[in-house]
Structure formats: structure tokens, C-alpha cells
Amino acid sequence: MKPATLCWLISLLVVSTAQAQRRRKIDPCANAQSQLEMNICAGNEYKAADATLNQVYKQLMAMLDDDEKLQLKEVENTWIKYRDTNCEFVADQYKGGSMRPMVQGYCLADMTKRRTAEIREQIKERKPK
């Protein structure tokens, strides 16, 4: 094999490997096409929103005295029950359908993101100015 051909083949291999790595980094949810993929993406979005909520919740807890911590725990437990029950209701309009998990996942994610924003506002209000 000629050196020029060998160099060309190596270059082609390097470029195709780089392109394959870039394709793997692309968000699979951006092109979800099957209902299963969309259901998984909704679940992942909820998990990410819940992780953020937990971080922000811990920040607020760190700012509170013992009585306020107990009060916030009670509020949060009540809110979680409301969120879960509400999203069950929203998703149940698709009961028995394959898109029900997606609807429930996005509902949970949306409500969780809104709760995170509320807690962030409470943190801002409690910070000394």
C-alpha cells in the first residue's frame, strides 16, 4: 500500500471516529421517535428536575432554625403528595395508553421545576440584603 493511500485511510478513520463520538454526545431525547423513547425521556427529565429540587431544598433547609425545618418538611411532604396525586389525575386521561408514562413524567417534571423556582425565591427573600 502506498504511503499516500495509508495516510488517507488513517485520516478517514480519525474523522469517522470523531463523528461517531459527536453523535453519541447528542441528546437522544432531541430525536426520540418511539413512544418508549419519549416515555424514557420524560422520566429522565423528571429525575433531573427532582435532583435539582433536592439541592435547592437543602440550601433552604440550611438557612432555617429547627422549628422552620420541621415546618418546611411538612410543607414539602404535603406538596409531594399533591404533585403526585395531581400528575396521576393528569396522566389518567390516557389510562391504558402507551403515552400515559410520558404525560405523567412531564407533569412531574413541570411541577417539580415550578416548586424549585418557588424555593429559590424563598432563599432570595431570606438572604440578608
Side-chain angles (χ1 to χ4, degrees), residues 49-109:
D50 192 53
T52 302
L53 173 61
N54 288 327
Q55 291 172 341
V56 174
Y57 174 83
K58 287 176 185 176
Q59 291 172 3
L60 179 57
M61 283 293 265
M63 302 171 79
L64 305 176
D65 64 31
D66 289 341
D67 288 338
E68 291 170 322
K69 286 178 183 179
L70 286 173
Q71 193 176 18
L72 179 60
K73 283 181 187 179
E74 185 179 331
V75 168
E76 206 62 19
N77 286 332
T78 302
W79 176 81
I80 289 168
K81 187 174 181 176
Y82 166 70
R83 178 202 60 195
D84 292 350
T85 304
N86 182 62
C87 289
E88 282 285 325
F89 172 73
V90 169
D92 274 354
Q93 63 186 317
Y94 302 98
K95 193 180 251 180
S98 62
M99 68 183 281
R100 185 189 184 285
M102 178 189 73
V103 172
Q104 185 173 16
Y106 283 129
C107 177
L108 291 167

Side-chain angles (χ1 to χ4, degrees), residues 34-54:
S34 73
Q35 190 60 57
L36 177 61
E37 290 171 329
M38 290 183 263
N39 293 349
I40 290 168
C41 291
N44 289 342
E45 187 166 331
Y46 164 61
K47 287 177 192 172
D50 192 53
T52 302
L53 173 61
N54 288 327

